Amino acid sequence: MSITRPPSMADVAAAAGVSHQTVSRVLNGHAYVKDDTRERVQAAIRSLGYRRNQAARTLVTTRSATIGVVATGMAHHGPASTVLAIEQAARRADHFVSLAAMTSRDADAAAHVLDRLIDQGVDGIVVVAPTADVARRVDEVAPQIPVVVVAARRDAPSQSAAVYVAVDQYAGSARVAEHLADLGHERAVHIEGPAGWFDAIERSRGFADAAECRGVAARVVHADDWGAEHGYAAGTSLVQGVESGQVTAVFAASDHLALGAIRAFWEAGIRVPDDVSVVGFDDVDGSGFFVPSLTTVHQPFDKLGDAAVRRLLAQRDASATTGEPMIDPEVIVRGSTAPPRR
């Protein structure tokens, strides 16, 4: 068959020897199509190079099959991994992603981006909001489409139109404190992440609460950002406490903070874990190859992305499954933790 224009659904039906309605059923994944008929239609689609006209489909269904994603903090491991997981989950759900990556945490800019995505006709919006200022701006916006916010936030207002989903940062950090207590540590320091980040707030809170319950004396050293240089500065400030035995374990709020602290200890002749145990958070690629390999908290971003998309589609379609609102992390024990020296 010679076609000088883009192939249509009618062309596919003619090539496969079926009706237009049967082609539509195959394209929409209906179960009530015989296997041999489905195979003929799919073969005709491949042979002709047929591509579904999404604009026409949107006019008929009033759905664009596109999810808007607004993200800040993309230079950091957590937000970047979350966005990638959402995109993959959206594809599995046969949806596209329209991404707006914000380079600042300006709340007004976030509202503007939300408006632009709504104007594009997206079916819903996922906001990756690791910081309080962006999340609270979303609370003030009342779009007439589903909105899911990815944020480990405890103070979300009950009247907010947005649905929240997150990895349970509090639980992950509490398990770190329990791990250190089980090893016999009684004096620990938490290198806390930057102010205004929900993850930093929850990691600090979870560690402090569990440490208190287990009789571990824990204090906080604040870091201005998540990077290794900030961990190095924090580690340098802890050298004297480690050498005097006042600090036997350090929990850093990110793997990069942990890496910086380990470097500072190495320069001071302090051995990890012989002289001090160190734990990170995130399980970044390669953390198992640090020297020593890093005990850390693994975040299942694939489950987080799936839950975000599922909860978004569930708002639009009551028959969809919602997924868990709080995803459970896991402590990965490696070579950087050990019982304290006696």
Side-chain angles (χ1 to χ4, degrees):
M1 181 184 295
S2 176
I3 300 177
T4 58
R5 53 176 171 71
S8 67
M9 195 181 297
D11 297 321
V12 173
V18 298
S19 68
H20 182 284
Q21 188 176 36
T22 297
V23 175
S24 178
R25 288 194 183 111
V26 172
L27 289 171
N28 289 295
H30 287 288
Y32 302 112
V33 179
K34 292 181 179 179
D35 289 342
D36 60 336
T37 302
R38 187 183 304 277
E39 289 171 5
R40 288 206 319 276
V41 171
Q42 291 172 339
I45 289 171
R46 290 192 297 270
S47 175
L48 295 173
Y50 171 75
R51 294 290 183 270
R52 176 178 290 188
N53 186 327
Q54 186 60 47
R57 185 186 182 196
T58 299
L59 288 173
V60 173
T61 65
T62 70
R63 293 180 180 177
S64 65
T66 301
I67 294 172
V69 177
V70 180
T72 58
M74 286 283 286
H76 299 286
H77 175 76
S81 299
T82 300
V83 169
L84 177 60
I86 291 168
E87 193 278 332
Q88 292 172 337
R91 257 192 293 138
R92 288 193 295 271
D94 198 27
H95 282 64
F96 299 100
V97 163
S98 179
L99 173 64
M102 297 175 53
T103 57
S104 73
R105 290 161 45 179
D106 181 77
D108 290 335
H112 175 70
V113 168
L114 286 170
D115 287 340
R116 290 294 299 272
L117 287 172
I118 293 169
D119 290 344
Q120 286 182 21
V122 297
D123 291 338
I125 298 174
V126 179
V127 183
V128 181
T131 58
D133 41 11
V134 172
R136 287 168 184 153
R137 188 67 182 91
V138 174
D139 293 336
E140 301 168 4
V141 179
Q144 299 303 308
I145 60 173
V147 174
V148 169
V149 180
V150 181
R153 184 181 183 187
R154 299 273 173 172
D155 66 341
S158 57
Q159 70 272 20
S160 174
V163 173
Y164 279 77
V165 64
V167 173
D168 195 338
Q169 310 291 320
Y170 181 97
S173 297
R175 288 169 190 157
V176 170
E178 291 164 358
H179 169 62
L180 294 174
D182 288 343
L183 290 172
H185 291 279
E186 298 177 350
R187 296 175 295 278
V189 167
H190 174 48
I191 301 177
E192 185 180 53
W197 284 69
F198 291 121
D199 289 355
I201 294 167
E202 290 302 303
R203 291 172 193 177
S204 183
R205 203 168 65 87
F207 185 75
D209 288 352
E212 183 179 8
C213 288
R214 294 296 300 272
V216 178
R219 64 184 178 90
V220 173
V221 172
H222 183 72
D224 292 330
D225 211 333
W226 299 104
E229 65 274 22
H230 298 278
Y232 177 84
T236 299
S237 73
L238 295 173
V239 165
Q240 186 175 355
V242 173
E243 291 177 335
S244 66
Q246 294 304 304
V247 177
T248 67
V250 173
F251 167 45
S254 77
D255 287 350
H256 290 108
L257 287 171
L259 177 62
I262 290 172
R263 174 58 185 256
F265 295 150
W266 175 78
E267 288 183 358
I270 294 171
R271 299 165 301 169
V272 177
D274 297 10
D275 300 321
V276 63
S277 287
V278 177
V279 184
F281 201 113
D282 281 332
D283 193 24
V284 299
D285 187 32
S287 58
F289 293 89
F290 289 4
V291 180
S293 59
L294 185 65
T295 295
T296 185
V297 180
H298 174 74
Q299 300 197 71
F301 289 109
D302 55 340
K303 293 182 179 179
L304 178 62
D306 185 65
V309 172
R310 283 178 178 272
R311 291 180 75 78
L312 189 75
L313 298 181
Q315 293 182 71
R316 188 195 69 186
D317 182 357
S319 67
T321 55
T322 61
E324 292 297 322
M326 196 65 78
I327 312 301
D328 207 31
E330 178 186 5
V331 175
I332 307 297
V333 179
R334 297 194 180 108
S336 66
T337 51
R341 67 188 182 198
R342 298 298 181 186

